[in-house]
Structure formats: structure tokens, C-alpha cells
Amino acid sequence: MRLVVHNMLQCHVKGCDSNNFPLRLFDVELEIHEIEFNPQFLQSLLPKLDWNAFISTANQIGITSLPQALPEEIDEDFLKNLHRILFETHIMQGKMVCSNCSHEYPIKEGIPNMLLNEEEAEEEAEVEAEVETEAEED
Amino acid sequence: MSITPIKAFTEHDTTSLTDDKKEQKYVHDVYQAIAPHFSQTRYKPWPVVEQFLNSLDIGSIGADIGCGNGKYLGINKNIYMVGSDRSSKLIEISVSRGHEGIICDALNLPFRSECFDFVISIAVIHHFTTFERRLAAIKELFRIARPGSYILIYVWALEQSNEARRKFDKEQQDVFVPWVIPADKNNQDKKEIIYNRYYHLFKKGELDELIESTGIAQIVKTDYDKDNWYVIARKEGSENEIDKKCCDC
């Protein structure tokens, strides 16, 4: 999970509808996966971020190279740094915790599990299936 | 090749199950079980979806709700997409291809309201077993889309074209569509397996009515494609409202 996606996520436990964003990150393991730098794309995307949430989240995971407020003059160095943090930094393991209701959402192998009943996705379900020998392939 | 027959949903004893348990058993559990085989057969993007994604502005952020193996997530390199699916197995496949994936339920999306520039949901809403649940899922798609943005929804049609592999009984909208994993010719122990997947087949105009009944979107385009009904809807509100929203938060 990249930080750009974290910026879109909120707690969605029933009735938890204030102070439910951003989710706080804990016990994270990061990996850098490089991708092509596209300054025009980044610039267009910038106004869509919740900057305050992004900064506080970056700080939580030890990234402190960003300004507290979005600078008025955007230069290439700033965009390159942003590219690295938003799009190349992956949260591979860890958990997200809601500041309001304390619900925890695990992140495993880079995938956040946002199902409210986490076990559901973990179980190997017994699936109803018919095993037949006569029928042909669909 | 013959086709395994479609069965009416009512032929199975599902009355003891609640709606969410029906979907658990006849949709979620099935996709978990068939994910690798399903994914092998899902690689070709549908042109209408491709065209929709390629028409978006550079820097757009969007969501694909029920993204499966993520076949639409990398179409346009100038936009950013996050895929979500109820099946962890399908999300694992999507993420292994370098896409962004989240495991979640389409009835209760974990995204902020109005944070996306567009939303797509391709062949997903037909897996909900009641009108209320289909409507609730569509409302969630509109909730996360910003005012003035476009939402593309595809559902399977009851009315199938002459070329279609499957023909449906016109009276039967709630059906099991079998998914067949063929026997392994090299391994006698691996016999053919048939999974029953639940579908609600949409009649002409039914998707449009659902979208209109939300009261928050206008239908821009409605058509029939690939044996599916699809609608492009625009969420009400103007672009300027976004700037206001951003300043507020």
C-alpha cells in the first residue's frame, strides 16, 4: 500500500463517523519500489490530497522531509521527493488504527484488509461444489 | 463444448441463509476457491471500459470496486487507480502485478466520501442478492465519488445476444451460473469441479432505475455491450464544490 492510498482510507465501523481519518500507522515495514517520475501527473494530483493528513502520517513512519504546509512554489526537487514518498514507498506490513474507535486494520504483504470481520478473509472456506466426471468443460 | 446448465437460484435450499450468508457462500467463497483459474480467463479489457479510463484527465484518482485480478488498473498510466475486492485471493493476484489493492466489502467501502475523480464497478453489482443490497452498493459508489465525477457500472444482462454462450430463462432473474474447473488430464485425482455462483441478471432499464432512485446522479449514457447493461452516470454537483471541500478539510 502506498501513502497516496492511505490518504483516501477512513475507518468505516458502524457509527464511527468523526475523527476516523487519517488512520494511524503502527509497526510498519517499508519497501521502496521505483517507478517512472511523472511531474505533470503529480502536479495535477496534488490538490486532491489531504495535505495535513499526509504530513502527519509521513511523520508517524519517520518521514520528515516534507513541509508542514504545501509550498506555493512547486519545484522539481519537491516533486521528486513527493514522488518517492507517495508513489515509491510501500507499506508492506503493519496496522492502521482508528483514532476514534481504536479499530485495527492489518496490512500484510502490502495489502490492507479493511473487512470488519478480519477472520472472514483469512479462513479457507468450505465451498459448496459438485465434483462430476461426466460433464464437459464450460 | 457443451455448457453446464444454468439453475434457478430457488432450486437450491437457500431459505435458511441470511442475504449476507448467501453471498458469502455463493459469491465470496466461490471466488476465493476459483481465483487462479478465474484470473487466467480475465485478461482482455472491454473496449468501453478502456475508452472510459483513457478519457480521464491526467492526475485523476479513481477506484475500481470489485477489481478482481486488476485487469483495468494499469490501462491508463496518467491516472492513479486503487482496486478493491472482497476476495483476498484475487487482490493478491492484482497486487502481485504491481497494482494497488485493498480487501473490503462493496457495501461498506473504507474510503473517504467524495475523494475520487471517477469510480468504476465492472460485473459486480449483479452478485448482490436483493434490490436493497444492490441499491446500497450503488449508493456507496456514488458516496466516494466527488461531485461532477463520472461513474461506470456494468452488470450482466438477462437479455443475451445471439452470439452469447449462455441463454437465460426470461422469467428467471436470480440464477446460479456454474464455474467449471476442468479435470486435470495428468492427475486422476483432480476431477472436474463445478462451483455455483449467484447472479442477479438485470432486465433492460433495471440498472438505470436503480441509479435514478439514488437521486444523486444523472445518467449520461446507457447501453448494452458484451451481454451486459452498462451506465455512465455523473454525480450531481459542480466541480467548484471540490475546492470548497478541500478548504474545509
Side-chain angles (χ1 to χ4, degrees):
Chain A
M1 181 184 70
R2 296 168 175 94
L3 284 181
V4 62
V5 173
H6 175 272
N7 203 263
M8 308 293 151
L9 291 176
Q10 66 177 18
C11 181
H12 56 119
V13 167
K14 201 172 179 199
C16 182
D17 45 20
S18 65
N19 195 25
N20 57 347
F21 165 82
L23 296 168
R24 285 177 300 147
L25 286 166
F26 290 93
D27 309 328
V28 296
E29 285 173 32
L30 304 178
E31 272 180 27
I32 303 288
H33 299 175
E34 290 188 355
I35 53 163
E36 199 184 330
F37 173 58
N38 183 342
Q40 200 195 340
F41 164 79
L42 268 175
Q43 199 127 26
S44 317
L45 184 134
L46 257 186
K48 293 158 193 175
L49 285 180
D50 185 313
W51 188 261
N52 290 339
F54 173 50
I55 293 300
S56 70
T57 304
N59 287 341
Q60 276 163 27
I61 60 173
I63 298 169
T64 53
S65 57
L66 289 160
Q68 287 300 316
L70 189 59
E72 284 183 17
E73 296 271 319
I74 301 216
D75 60 25
E76 180 145 320
D77 282 347
F78 172 75
L79 284 178
K80 277 193 169 150
N81 189 28
L82 200 62
H83 171 72
R84 167 65 49 134
I85 297 165
L86 269 180
F87 286 101
E88 294 188 327
T89 306
H90 291 249
I91 300 161
M92 300 306 291
Q93 310 287 338
K95 63 182 178 187
M96 293 180 280
V97 181
C98 175
S99 301
N100 184 41
C101 76
S102 302
H103 190 88
E104 293 188 6
Y105 300 94
I107 305 165
K108 288 176 189 162
E109 311 281 327
I111 303 172
N113 186 339
M114 306 303 284
L115 291 174
L116 293 176
N117 183 2
E118 188 208 326
E119 290 79 23
E120 283 180 75
E122 306 281 308
E123 280 172 21
E124 285 292 331
E126 290 270 322
V127 188
E128 182 177 291
E130 303 156 30
V131 179
E132 294 177 18
T133 47
E134 295 298 308
E136 288 175 43
E137 185 188 346
D138 180 11
Chain B
M1 275 195 294
S2 72
I3 290 175
T4 312
I6 311 283
K7 290 177 200 157
F9 188 48
T10 46
E11 280 175 24
H12 276 239
D13 180 27
T14 58
T15 44
S16 61
L17 297 173
T18 56
D19 295 327
D20 59 328
K21 292 287 181 229
K22 282 178 198 167
E23 289 160 15
Q24 179 74 46
K25 188 171 178 182
Y26 295 111
V27 182
H28 311 319
D29 289 351
V30 173
Y31 278 107
Q32 284 293 76
I34 70 174
H37 185 242
F38 174 83
S39 179
Q40 283 166 24
T41 66
R42 295 292 185 279
Y43 49 89
K44 227 172 134 180
W46 288 345
V48 170
V49 184
E50 204 171 4
Q51 202 182 353
F52 176 85
L53 295 174
N54 282 327
S55 72
L56 297 159
D57 293 336
I58 186 167
S60 295
I61 301 184
D64 181 354
I65 306 304
C67 67
N69 65 2
K71 72 172 177 173
Y72 292 115
L73 300 179
I75 297 263
N76 181 348
K77 304 288 178 209
N78 284 321
I79 62 174
Y80 195 70
M81 287 180 78
V82 52
S84 82
D85 207 283
R86 186 68 171 64
S87 165
S88 59
K89 301 276 185 223
L90 286 170
I91 284 292
E92 282 163 19
I93 294 170
S94 179
V95 168
S96 73
R97 295 171 175 179
H99 302 309
E100 197 73 64
I102 287 172
I103 305 163
C104 69
D105 190 325
L107 289 178
N108 187 3
L109 293 171
F111 301 113
R112 288 192 282 132
S113 296
E114 305 186 350
C115 72
F116 291 112
D117 297 316
F118 68 95
V119 177
I120 67 171
S121 184
I122 312 300
V124 175
I125 306 292
H126 53 214
H127 284 311
F128 289 101
T129 52
T130 65
F131 171 85
E132 289 74 22
R133 292 169 76 82
R134 293 187 282 275
L135 180 61
I138 284 175
K139 281 184 176 169
E140 271 295 84
L141 301 180
F142 290 142
R143 180 185 65 80
I144 61 171
R146 67 168 167 77
S149 67
Y150 292 94
I151 297 100
L152 170 63
I153 304 171
Y154 263 77
V155 290
W156 216 357
L158 182 65
E159 303 86 350
Q160 294 289 291
S161 63
N162 289 332
E163 301 80 50
R165 294 195 312 147
R166 304 184 192 273
K167 292 284 179 289
F168 299 132
D169 177 347
K170 286 282 186 302
E171 301 304 311
Q172 189 51 258
Q173 281 189 270
D174 295 288
V175 296
F176 279 126
V177 178
W179 183 272
V180 181
I181 296 186
D184 185 343
K185 291 184 183 69
N186 302 317
N187 185 348
Q188 291 224 319
D189 293 337
K190 295 213 168 160
K191 300 216 160 64
E192 176 180 85
I193 309 175
I194 300 171
Y195 294 97
N196 284 315
R197 272 178 311 165
Y198 168 83
Y199 276 85
H200 174 80
L201 303 168
F202 278 67
K203 284 182 182 167
K204 184 176 186 178
E206 197 179 340
L207 178 61
D208 307 56
E209 277 170 32
L210 266 178
I211 290 169
E212 275 162 358
S213 71
T214 65
I216 49 168
Q218 285 137 12
I219 294 173
V220 178
K221 186 166 186 193
T222 174
D223 208 346
Y224 181 83
D225 175 53
K226 307 267 180 203
D227 302 306
N228 283 257
W229 295 110
Y230 77 88
V231 167
I232 297 175
R234 183 179 180 277
K235 182 168 172 177
E236 282 177 1
S238 70
E239 302 269 339
N240 294 335
E241 286 177 40
I242 313 150
D243 299 333
K244 188 175 157 287
K245 282 260 180 292
C246 279
C247 299
D248 287 345
C249 60

mmCIF file with all atom_site columns, all heavy atoms in Angstrom, chain B residues 17-32:
data_model
loop_
_atom_site.group_PDB
_atom_site.id
_atom_site.type_symbol
_atom_site.label_atom_id
_atom_site.label_alt_id
_atom_site.label_comp_id
_atom_site.label_asym_id
_atom_site.label_entity_id
_atom_site.label_seq_id
_atom_site.pdbx_PDB_ins_code
_atom_site.Cartn_x
_atom_site.Cartn_y
_atom_site.Cartn_z
_atom_site.occupancy
_atom_site.B_iso_or_equiv
_atom_site.pdbx_formal_charge
_atom_site.auth_seq_id
_atom_site.auth_comp_id
_atom_site.auth_asym_id
_atom_site.auth_atom_id
_atom_site.pdbx_PDB_model_num
ATOM 1   N N   . LEU B 1 17 ? -30.623 -19.277 4.863   1.00 0.00 ? 17 LEU B N   1
ATOM 2   C CA  . LEU B 1 17 ? -29.484 -18.356 4.954   1.00 0.00 ? 17 LEU B CA  1
ATOM 3   C C   . LEU B 1 17 ? -29.932 -16.900 4.887   1.00 0.00 ? 17 LEU B C   1
ATOM 4   O O   . LEU B 1 17 ? -30.832 -16.557 4.128   1.00 0.00 ? 17 LEU B O   1
ATOM 5   C CB  . LEU B 1 17 ? -28.510 -18.622 3.791   1.00 0.00 ? 17 LEU B CB  1
ATOM 6   C CG  . LEU B 1 17 ? -27.843 -19.997 3.739   1.00 0.00 ? 17 LEU B CG  1
ATOM 7   C CD1 . LEU B 1 17 ? -27.056 -20.136 2.450   1.00 0.00 ? 17 LEU B CD1 1
ATOM 8   C CD2 . LEU B 1 17 ? -26.930 -20.191 4.941   1.00 0.00 ? 17 LEU B CD2 1
ATOM 9   N N   . THR B 1 18 ? -29.245 -16.030 5.649   1.00 0.00 ? 18 THR B N   1
ATOM 10  C CA  . THR B 1 18 ? -29.479 -14.595 5.510   1.00 0.00 ? 18 THR B CA  1
ATOM 11  C C   . THR B 1 18 ? -28.826 -14.136 4.216   1.00 0.00 ? 18 THR B C   1
ATOM 12  O O   . THR B 1 18 ? -28.010 -14.852 3.634   1.00 0.00 ? 18 THR B O   1
ATOM 13  C CB  . THR B 1 18 ? -28.856 -13.829 6.696   1.00 0.00 ? 18 THR B CB  1
ATOM 14  O OG1 . THR B 1 18 ? -27.464 -14.177 6.749   1.00 0.00 ? 18 THR B OG1 1
ATOM 15  C CG2 . THR B 1 18 ? -29.520 -14.195 8.004   1.00 0.00 ? 18 THR B CG2 1
ATOM 16  N N   . ASP B 1 19 ? -29.187 -12.919 3.766   1.00 0.00 ? 19 ASP B N   1
ATOM 17  C CA  . ASP B 1 19 ? -28.675 -12.441 2.470   1.00 0.00 ? 19 ASP B CA  1
ATOM 18  C C   . ASP B 1 19 ? -27.150 -12.407 2.438   1.00 0.00 ? 19 ASP B C   1
ATOM 19  O O   . ASP B 1 19 ? -26.534 -12.783 1.446   1.00 0.00 ? 19 ASP B O   1
ATOM 20  C CB  . ASP B 1 19 ? -29.230 -11.044 2.173   1.00 0.00 ? 19 ASP B CB  1
ATOM 21  C CG  . ASP B 1 19 ? -30.745 -11.085 2.001   1.00 0.00 ? 19 ASP B CG  1
ATOM 22  O OD1 . ASP B 1 19 ? -31.248 -12.104 1.498   1.00 0.00 ? 19 ASP B OD1 1
ATOM 23  O OD2 . ASP B 1 19 ? -31.400 -10.106 2.371   1.00 0.00 ? 19 ASP B OD2 1
ATOM 24  N N   . ASP B 1 20 ? -26.550 -11.935 3.551   1.00 0.00 ? 20 ASP B N   1
ATOM 25  C CA  . ASP B 1 20 ? -25.091 -11.849 3.532   1.00 0.00 ? 20 ASP B CA  1
ATOM 26  C C   . ASP B 1 20 ? -24.460 -13.240 3.541   1.00 0.00 ? 20 ASP B C   1
ATOM 27  O O   . ASP B 1 20 ? -23.411 -13.458 2.929   1.00 0.00 ? 20 ASP B O   1
ATOM 28  C CB  . ASP B 1 20 ? -24.559 -10.960 4.667   1.00 0.00 ? 20 ASP B CB  1
ATOM 29  C CG  . ASP B 1 20 ? -24.961 -11.465 6.037   1.00 0.00 ? 20 ASP B CG  1
ATOM 30  O OD1 . ASP B 1 20 ? -26.046 -12.052 6.159   1.00 0.00 ? 20 ASP B OD1 1
ATOM 31  O OD2 . ASP B 1 20 ? -24.183 -11.278 6.987   1.00 0.00 ? 20 ASP B OD2 1
ATOM 32  N N   . LYS B 1 21 ? -25.125 -14.200 4.185   1.00 0.00 ? 21 LYS B N   1
ATOM 33  C CA  . LYS B 1 21 ? -24.574 -15.566 4.186   1.00 0.00 ? 21 LYS B CA  1
ATOM 34  C C   . LYS B 1 21 ? -24.719 -16.220 2.819   1.00 0.00 ? 21 LYS B C   1
ATOM 35  O O   . LYS B 1 21 ? -23.866 -17.004 2.402   1.00 0.00 ? 21 LYS B O   1
ATOM 36  C CB  . LYS B 1 21 ? -25.269 -16.434 5.251   1.00 0.00 ? 21 LYS B CB  1
ATOM 37  C CG  . LYS B 1 21 ? -24.957 -16.007 6.676   1.00 0.00 ? 21 LYS B CG  1
ATOM 38  C CD  . LYS B 1 21 ? -23.525 -16.377 7.095   1.00 0.00 ? 21 LYS B CD  1
ATOM 39  C CE  . LYS B 1 21 ? -23.232 -15.961 8.522   1.00 0.00 ? 21 LYS B CE  1
ATOM 40  N NZ  . LYS B 1 21 ? -21.972 -15.229 8.672   1.00 0.00 ? 21 LYS B NZ  1
ATOM 41  N N   . LYS B 1 22 ? -25.806 -15.889 2.121   1.00 0.00 ? 22 LYS B N   1
ATOM 42  C CA  . LYS B 1 22 ? -25.966 -16.402 0.749   1.00 0.00 ? 22 LYS B CA  1
ATOM 43  C C   . LYS B 1 22 ? -24.815 -15.902 -0.113  1.00 0.00 ? 22 LYS B C   1
ATOM 44  O O   . LYS B 1 22 ? -24.209 -16.651 -0.867  1.00 0.00 ? 22 LYS B O   1
ATOM 45  C CB  . LYS B 1 22 ? -27.278 -15.893 0.132   1.00 0.00 ? 22 LYS B CB  1
ATOM 46  C CG  . LYS B 1 22 ? -28.513 -16.614 0.599   1.00 0.00 ? 22 LYS B CG  1
ATOM 47  C CD  . LYS B 1 22 ? -29.743 -15.981 -0.056  1.00 0.00 ? 22 LYS B CD  1
ATOM 48  C CE  . LYS B 1 22 ? -30.995 -16.370 0.711   1.00 0.00 ? 22 LYS B CE  1
ATOM 49  N NZ  . LYS B 1 22 ? -32.160 -15.571 0.335   1.00 0.00 ? 22 LYS B NZ  1
ATOM 50  N N   . GLU B 1 23 ? -24.530 -14.599 0.011   1.00 0.00 ? 23 GLU B N   1
ATOM 51  C CA  . GLU B 1 23 ? -23.438 -14.031 -0.789  1.00 0.00 ? 23 GLU B CA  1
ATOM 52  C C   . GLU B 1 23 ? -22.093 -14.598 -0.351  1.00 0.00 ? 23 GLU B C   1
ATOM 53  O O   . GLU B 1 23 ? -21.207 -14.830 -1.181  1.00 0.00 ? 23 GLU B O   1
ATOM 54  C CB  . GLU B 1 23 ? -23.453 -12.494 -0.691  1.00 0.00 ? 23 GLU B CB  1
ATOM 55  C CG  . GLU B 1 23 ? -24.626 -11.893 -1.447  1.00 0.00 ? 23 GLU B CG  1
ATOM 56  C CD  . GLU B 1 23 ? -24.986 -10.478 -1.010  1.00 0.00 ? 23 GLU B CD  1
ATOM 57  O OE1 . GLU B 1 23 ? -24.168 -9.844  -0.319  1.00 0.00 ? 23 GLU B OE1 1
ATOM 58  O OE2 . GLU B 1 23 ? -26.093 -10.022 -1.359  1.00 0.00 ? 23 GLU B OE2 1
ATOM 59  N N   . GLN B 1 24 ? -21.958 -14.841 0.944   1.00 0.00 ? 24 GLN B N   1
ATOM 60  C CA  . GLN B 1 24 ? -20.722 -15.453 1.431   1.00 0.00 ? 24 GLN B CA  1
ATOM 61  C C   . GLN B 1 24 ? -20.516 -16.813 0.765   1.00 0.00 ? 24 GLN B C   1
ATOM 62  O O   . GLN B 1 24 ? -19.438 -17.120 0.264   1.00 0.00 ? 24 GLN B O   1
ATOM 63  C CB  . GLN B 1 24 ? -20.809 -15.618 2.959   1.00 0.00 ? 24 GLN B CB  1
ATOM 64  C CG  . GLN B 1 24 ? -19.588 -16.257 3.598   1.00 0.00 ? 24 GLN B CG  1
ATOM 65  C CD  . GLN B 1 24 ? -18.412 -15.306 3.658   1.00 0.00 ? 24 GLN B CD  1
ATOM 66  O OE1 . GLN B 1 24 ? -18.553 -14.153 4.038   1.00 0.00 ? 24 GLN B OE1 1
ATOM 67  N NE2 . GLN B 1 24 ? -17.242 -15.760 3.245   1.00 0.00 ? 24 GLN B NE2 1
ATOM 68  N N   . LYS B 1 25 ? -21.577 -17.607 0.738   1.00 0.00 ? 25 LYS B N   1
ATOM 69  C CA  . LYS B 1 25 ? -21.473 -18.975 0.265   1.00 0.00 ? 25 LYS B CA  1
ATOM 70  C C   . LYS B 1 25 ? -21.421 -19.084 -1.258  1.00 0.00 ? 25 LYS B C   1
ATOM 71  O O   . LYS B 1 25 ? -20.642 -19.870 -1.810  1.00 0.00 ? 25 LYS B O   1
ATOM 72  C CB  . LYS B 1 25 ? -22.684 -19.756 0.799   1.00 0.00 ? 25 LYS B CB  1
ATOM 73  C CG  . LYS B 1 25 ? -22.626 -21.244 0.548   1.00 0.00 ? 25 LYS B CG  1
ATOM 74  C CD  . LYS B 1 25 ? -23.743 -21.946 1.314   1.00 0.00 ? 25 LYS B CD  1
ATOM 75  C CE  . LYS B 1 25 ? -23.734 -23.433 1.032   1.00 0.00 ? 25 LYS B CE  1
ATOM 76  N NZ  . LYS B 1 25 ? -24.815 -24.133 1.723   1.00 0.00 ? 25 LYS B NZ  1
ATOM 77  N N   . TYR B 1 26 ? -22.256 -18.283 -1.932  1.00 0.00 ? 26 TYR B N   1
ATOM 78  C CA  . TYR B 1 26 ? -22.395 -18.451 -3.380  1.00 0.00 ? 26 TYR B CA  1
ATOM 79  C C   . TYR B 1 26 ? -21.678 -17.381 -4.204  1.00 0.00 ? 26 TYR B C   1
ATOM 80  O O   . TYR B 1 26 ? -21.784 -17.373 -5.424  1.00 0.00 ? 26 TYR B O   1
ATOM 81  C CB  . TYR B 1 26 ? -23.878 -18.507 -3.750  1.00 0.00 ? 26 TYR B CB  1
ATOM 82  C CG  . TYR B 1 26 ? -24.563 -19.725 -3.169  1.00 0.00 ? 26 TYR B CG  1
ATOM 83  C CD1 . TYR B 1 26 ? -25.502 -19.594 -2.152  1.00 0.00 ? 26 TYR B CD1 1
ATOM 84  C CD2 . TYR B 1 26 ? -24.225 -21.003 -3.616  1.00 0.00 ? 26 TYR B CD2 1
ATOM 85  C CE1 . TYR B 1 26 ? -26.103 -20.712 -1.592  1.00 0.00 ? 26 TYR B CE1 1
ATOM 86  C CE2 . TYR B 1 26 ? -24.822 -22.123 -3.059  1.00 0.00 ? 26 TYR B CE2 1
ATOM 87  C CZ  . TYR B 1 26 ? -25.758 -21.976 -2.052  1.00 0.00 ? 26 TYR B CZ  1
ATOM 88  O OH  . TYR B 1 26 ? -26.339 -23.090 -1.506  1.00 0.00 ? 26 TYR B OH  1
ATOM 89  N N   . VAL B 1 27 ? -20.986 -16.476 -3.527  1.00 0.00 ? 27 VAL B N   1
ATOM 90  C CA  . VAL B 1 27 ? -20.178 -15.487 -4.271  1.00 0.00 ? 27 VAL B CA  1
ATOM 91  C C   . VAL B 1 27 ? -18.756 -15.458 -3.688  1.00 0.00 ? 27 VAL B C   1
ATOM 92  O O   . VAL B 1 27 ? -17.805 -15.873 -4.348  1.00 0.00 ? 27 VAL B O   1
ATOM 93  C CB  . VAL B 1 27 ? -20.812 -14.079 -4.257  1.00 0.00 ? 27 VAL B CB  1
ATOM 94  C CG1 . VAL B 1 27 ? -19.945 -13.117 -5.089  1.00 0.00 ? 27 VAL B CG1 1
ATOM 95  C CG2 . VAL B 1 27 ? -22.234 -14.113 -4.830  1.00 0.00 ? 27 VAL B CG2 1
ATOM 96  N N   . HIS B 1 28 ? -18.629 -14.989 -2.427  1.00 0.00 ? 28 HIS B N   1
ATOM 97  C CA  . HIS B 1 28 ? -17.279 -14.777 -1.880  1.00 0.00 ? 28 HIS B CA  1
ATOM 98  C C   . HIS B 1 28 ? -16.475 -16.065 -1.806  1.00 0.00 ? 28 HIS B C   1
ATOM 99  O O   . HIS B 1 28 ? -15.324 -16.125 -2.252  1.00 0.00 ? 28 HIS B O   1
ATOM 100 C CB  . HIS B 1 28 ? -17.347 -14.164 -0.478  1.00 0.00 ? 28 HIS B CB  1
ATOM 101 C CG  . HIS B 1 28 ? -18.249 -12.989 -0.382  1.00 0.00 ? 28 HIS B CG  1
ATOM 102 N ND1 . HIS B 1 28 ? -18.296 -12.028 -1.378  1.00 0.00 ? 28 HIS B ND1 1
ATOM 103 C CD2 . HIS B 1 28 ? -19.130 -12.607 0.560   1.00 0.00 ? 28 HIS B CD2 1
ATOM 104 C CE1 . HIS B 1 28 ? -19.181 -11.106 -1.019  1.00 0.00 ? 28 HIS B CE1 1
ATOM 105 N NE2 . HIS B 1 28 ? -19.705 -11.437 0.131   1.00 0.00 ? 28 HIS B NE2 1
ATOM 106 N N   . ASP B 1 29 ? -17.066 -17.106 -1.231  1.00 0.00 ? 29 ASP B N   1
ATOM 107 C CA  . ASP B 1 29 ? -16.323 -18.358 -1.069  1.00 0.00 ? 29 ASP B CA  1
ATOM 108 C C   . ASP B 1 29 ? -15.969 -18.962 -2.431  1.00 0.00 ? 29 ASP B C   1
ATOM 109 O O   . ASP B 1 29 ? -14.905 -19.561 -2.594  1.00 0.00 ? 29 ASP B O   1
ATOM 110 C CB  . ASP B 1 29 ? -17.150 -19.371 -0.254  1.00 0.00 ? 29 ASP B CB  1
ATOM 111 C CG  . ASP B 1 29 ? -17.257 -18.956 1.215   1.00 0.00 ? 29 ASP B CG  1
ATOM 112 O OD1 . ASP B 1 29 ? -16.566 -18.009 1.614   1.00 0.00 ? 29 ASP B OD1 1
ATOM 113 O OD2 . ASP B 1 29 ? -18.050 -19.586 1.938   1.00 0.00 ? 29 ASP B OD2 1
ATOM 114 N N   . VAL B 1 30 ? -16.867 -18.783 -3.388  1.00 0.00 ? 30 VAL B N   1
ATOM 115 C CA  . VAL B 1 30 ? -16.598 -19.329 -4.728  1.00 0.00 ? 30 VAL B CA  1
ATOM 116 C C   . VAL B 1 30 ? -15.410 -18.606 -5.363  1.00 0.00 ? 30 VAL B C   1
ATOM 117 O O   . VAL B 1 30 ? -14.492 -19.235 -5.884  1.00 0.00 ? 30 VAL B O   1
ATOM 118 C CB  . VAL B 1 30 ? -17.851 -19.240 -5.628  1.00 0.00 ? 30 VAL B CB  1
ATOM 119 C CG1 . VAL B 1 30 ? -17.505 -19.651 -7.063  1.00 0.00 ? 30 VAL B CG1 1
ATOM 120 C CG2 . VAL B 1 30 ? -18.975 -20.115 -5.085  1.00 0.00 ? 30 VAL B CG2 1
ATOM 121 N N   . TYR B 1 31 ? -15.415 -17.275 -5.293  1.00 0.00 ? 31 TYR B N   1
ATOM 122 C CA  . TYR B 1 31 ? -14.287 -16.542 -5.892  1.00 0.00 ? 31 TYR B CA  1
ATOM 123 C C   . TYR B 1 31 ? -12.962 -16.868 -5.191  1.00 0.00 ? 31 TYR B C   1
ATOM 124 O O   . TYR B 1 31 ? -11.917 -16.946 -5.846  1.00 0.00 ? 31 TYR B O   1
ATOM 125 C CB  . TYR B 1 31 ? -14.544 -15.026 -5.906  1.00 0.00 ? 31 TYR B CB  1
ATOM 126 C CG  . TYR B 1 31 ? -15.408 -14.621 -7.089  1.00 0.00 ? 31 TYR B CG  1
ATOM 127 C CD1 . TYR B 1 31 ? -16.732 -14.247 -6.918  1.00 0.00 ? 31 TYR B CD1 1
ATOM 128 C CD2 . TYR B 1 31 ? -14.899 -14.648 -8.385  1.00 0.00 ? 31 TYR B CD2 1
ATOM 129 C CE1 . TYR B 1 31 ? -17.530 -13.900 -8.009  1.00 0.00 ? 31 TYR B CE1 1
ATOM 130 C CE2 . TYR B 1 31 ? -15.680 -14.307 -9.471  1.00 0.00 ? 31 TYR B CE2 1
ATOM 131 C CZ  . TYR B 1 31 ? -17.002 -13.933 -9.280  1.00 0.00 ? 31 TYR B CZ  1
ATOM 132 O OH  . TYR B 1 31 ? -17.780 -13.602 -10.359 1.00 0.00 ? 31 TYR B OH  1
ATOM 133 N N   . GLN B 1 32 ? -13.024 -17.061 -3.883  1.00 0.00 ? 32 GLN B N   1
ATOM 134 C CA  . GLN B 1 32 ? -11.795 -17.464 -3.175  1.00 0.00 ? 32 GLN B CA  1
ATOM 135 C C   . GLN B 1 32 ? -11.270 -18.783 -3.746  1.00 0.00 ? 32 GLN B C   1
ATOM 136 O O   . GLN B 1 32 ? -10.073 -18.958 -3.953  1.00 0.00 ? 32 GLN B O   1
ATOM 137 C CB  . GLN B 1 32 ? -12.066 -17.636 -1.668  1.00 0.00 ? 32 GLN B CB  1
ATOM 138 C CG  . GLN B 1 32 ? -12.197 -16.352 -0.881  1.00 0.00 ? 32 GLN B CG  1
ATOM 139 C CD  . GLN B 1 32 ? -10.929 -15.543 -0.789  1.00 0.00 ? 32 GLN B CD  1
ATOM 140 O OE1 . GLN B 1 32 ? -10.535 -14.881 -1.763  1.00 0.00 ? 32 GLN B OE1 1
ATOM 141 N NE2 . GLN B 1 32 ? -10.262 -15.562 0.347   1.00 0.00 ? 32 GLN B NE2 1
#
